[in-house]
Amino acid sequence: MMNILITGHRGFVGRHLKSGLSERYDSGKVFVSDSSRLNLLNPIDHSLIDCELDYIFHLAAWTKAGDFCLHHPGEQWINNQKINTNILCYWKEHQPQAKMVAFGTSCAYPPEKLKTESNYFDGIADKDLFTYAMTKRMLLTGMQAFAKQFDMKFLYFIPNTLFGPDFDIEDSHFIFDLIKKICAAKYEGKTPVTLWGSGNQCRELIYVKDGIDLILDSLHLDNEIINLGTGKEKSIKEYAKMICDYVGYNYEDIQFDTSAFEGVQSKYLMPNQLVGACNKTPLEEATKETIDYYRGIKYGL
C-alpha cells in the first residue's frame, strides 16, 4: 500500500503518472492538489491529508510552452516560488518521512554547457526562459538543503519534452503544435502550415509511458538528480517530415517563419549514468500513436 500526494495531477504528465502508479502498486490513499482544496499558491492545510505519505510527486508549475515565459517573468517568479515554497514547507513540517519526487527543467542548463547533471548550476540558464529556470534551480536547492540538514530524501528529474496520447488539445508544446497544424492542413485545408523559426533547432522527445516507467523504476534511489532523456534528438524539420509522411501531407508546402521565437538550438540531455536512456519505445511508433490519438478525438479517424 502506498500513500501519495500528486501536485499537477491534471497535467499531461500527472495523468500518466497516476495511471502508472495504479498499474504498478496496490492502491493506498492518493491526494491531489487543485485550486479548490489544496491550492499551492497558499500554505497547505495539513489537516486535509490524514495519513503519513510515502511519496510526494511534485509536478505543479505555473508555466506554458512557446513564448509564454518571455511575457510573464515576474508572475512566474512570484507564483512558482509560492508553489515550491509551500510544498517544501509542508514536506518539512508535516511529512518529513516521505520522499519528494520533483521535476526540474532542461532550460535551467546553460546552453553552452554539456547537459549532464553536474552542470545544472554551472553557468547562466537559457536567457529566454531564465526566470522559470531559476525557480526550478531554487526548488532543487531547497530539497538539497533539507536533505543535508534534516536527512530527508528526494529525487529530482530533469525531463526533455514528454509526449504521447491523452494530451490536452490546447497543449502548445512543439510536437503537439506540429501535429495539430499539419492535421489541420491535411483534414481541414487550413494552409499554409507555418512553423516558428528556421526548423533547424533540435529537440528531444520522450514517450511519456517510457518516462513514467523510468521514474517509477528509480524510486529506490535517494537524493539523485536524474536527466530524463532518450540520448538523441532531431530537428523540427525532421519531426515535421515524419508527421507529414504519416498523415499524407506534402512536407514541401510547410513554411518556416524565421522572425518568430525559435529558442535554443539544442536541448539534448546526456543520459543519466545510473538509470540510462529512456528510449524503450521507438520514436516513430510513439509519434504514430500520438497522431492517431489526436486524429481520433479531433476528426473521428
Side-chain angles (χ1 to χ4, degrees):
M1 300 287 285
M2 180 185 293
N3 298 323
I4 62 173
L5 167 64
I6 304 175
T7 76
H9 72 288
R10 290 179 176 170
F12 174 66
V13 178
R15 295 196 300 273
H16 282 275
L17 175 63
K18 285 179 68 177
S19 296
L21 285 165
S22 65
E23 290 171 5
R24 189 177 294 209
Y25 300 103
D26 292 336
S27 58
K29 292 186 176 181
V30 178
F31 301 91
V32 297
S33 64
D34 57 47
S35 58
S36 62
R37 194 166 184 268
L38 288 174
N39 187 339
L40 294 180
L41 290 173
N42 303 312
I44 296 173
D45 181 354
H46 68 90
S47 67
L48 296 174
I49 298 176
D50 61 357
C51 64
E52 286 195 350
L53 297 173
D54 298 292
Y55 290 94
I56 298 171
F57 292 92
H58 179 40
L59 282 65
W62 197 83
T63 193
K64 292 181 182 179
D67 60 353
F68 181 85
C69 294
L70 294 177
H71 305 296
H72 301 275
E75 293 166 284
Q76 281 207 308
W77 181 260
I78 292 170
N79 290 335
N80 284 309
Q81 289 293 80
K82 284 182 178 179
I83 288 168
N84 292 336
T85 297
N86 285 332
I87 194 66
L88 289 176
C89 286
Y90 172 74
W91 179 38
K92 161 64 175 60
E93 296 299 325
H94 301 289
Q95 301 286 351
Q97 76 291 333
K99 182 178 290 185
M100 175 77 77
V101 182
F103 267 31
T105 177
S106 61
C107 67
Y109 276 113
E112 73 283 359
K113 293 274 189 176
L114 187 67
K115 294 177 179 61
T116 185
E117 292 92 344
S118 60
N119 287 334
Y120 196 62
F121 288 105
D122 191 13
I124 305 300
D126 181 349
K127 64 180 177 61
D128 295 319
L129 307 171
F130 182 80
T131 300
Y132 177 62
M134 294 305 291
T135 65
K136 289 295 190 177
R137 284 188 179 182
M138 290 293 287
L139 171 61
L140 175 56
T141 300
M143 296 196 306
Q144 289 175 325
F146 286 6
K148 181 177 181 179
Q149 184 174 356
F150 306 116
D151 195 31
M152 297 168 70
K153 307 301 182 186
F154 72 86
L155 288 173
Y156 184 85
F157 289 93
I158 305 167
N160 253 323
T161 302
L162 292 117
F163 83 119
D166 194 30
F167 69 90
D168 187 334
I169 62 172
E170 300 302 319
D171 193 323
S172 58
H173 281 88
F174 85 89
I175 187 61
F176 302 137
D177 189 57
L178 291 180
I179 290 171
K180 289 185 288 185
K181 285 182 175 178
I182 293 170
C183 283
K186 169 66 177 179
Y187 303 112
E188 302 176 53
K190 291 185 177 179
T191 57
V193 175
T194 303
L195 305 182
W196 287 10
S198 66
N200 295 316
Q201 66 271 36
C202 291
R203 297 293 182 264
E204 184 177 18
L205 285 178
I206 307 158
Y207 182 52
V208 66
K209 294 179 182 178
D210 292 350
I212 297 302
D213 281 346
L214 188 144
I215 290 169
L216 299 182
D217 287 344
S218 305
L219 292 182
H220 64 285
L221 300 172
D222 291 333
N223 303 345
E224 294 287 347
I225 306 169
I226 298 173
N227 276 346
L228 197 61
T230 62
K232 59 182 102 174
E233 64 181 356
K234 289 181 179 291
S235 70
I236 298 298
K237 287 180 177 179
E238 290 176 298
Y239 288 119
K241 180 69 163 54
M242 185 188 309
I243 297 166
C244 286
D245 288 347
Y246 187 56
V247 304
Y249 183 75
N250 184 9
Y251 169 77
E252 299 302 325
D253 290 339
I254 289 180
Q255 299 179 8
F256 293 90
D257 181 1
T258 56
S259 68
F261 175 71
E262 181 168 296
V264 297
Q265 289 303 298
S266 173
K267 288 191 174 183
Y268 169 77
L269 299 179
M270 292 292 293
N272 181 268
Q273 293 185 351
L274 285 175
V275 303
C278 188
N279 56 8
K280 185 166 56 178
T281 303
L283 177 63
E284 287 197 6
E285 178 184 324
T287 303
K288 289 177 180 179
E289 183 179 340
T290 307
I291 295 169
D292 287 343
Y293 165 78
Y294 179 69
R295 291 194 301 189
I297 62 171
K298 180 68 174 179
Y299 304 107
L301 300 176

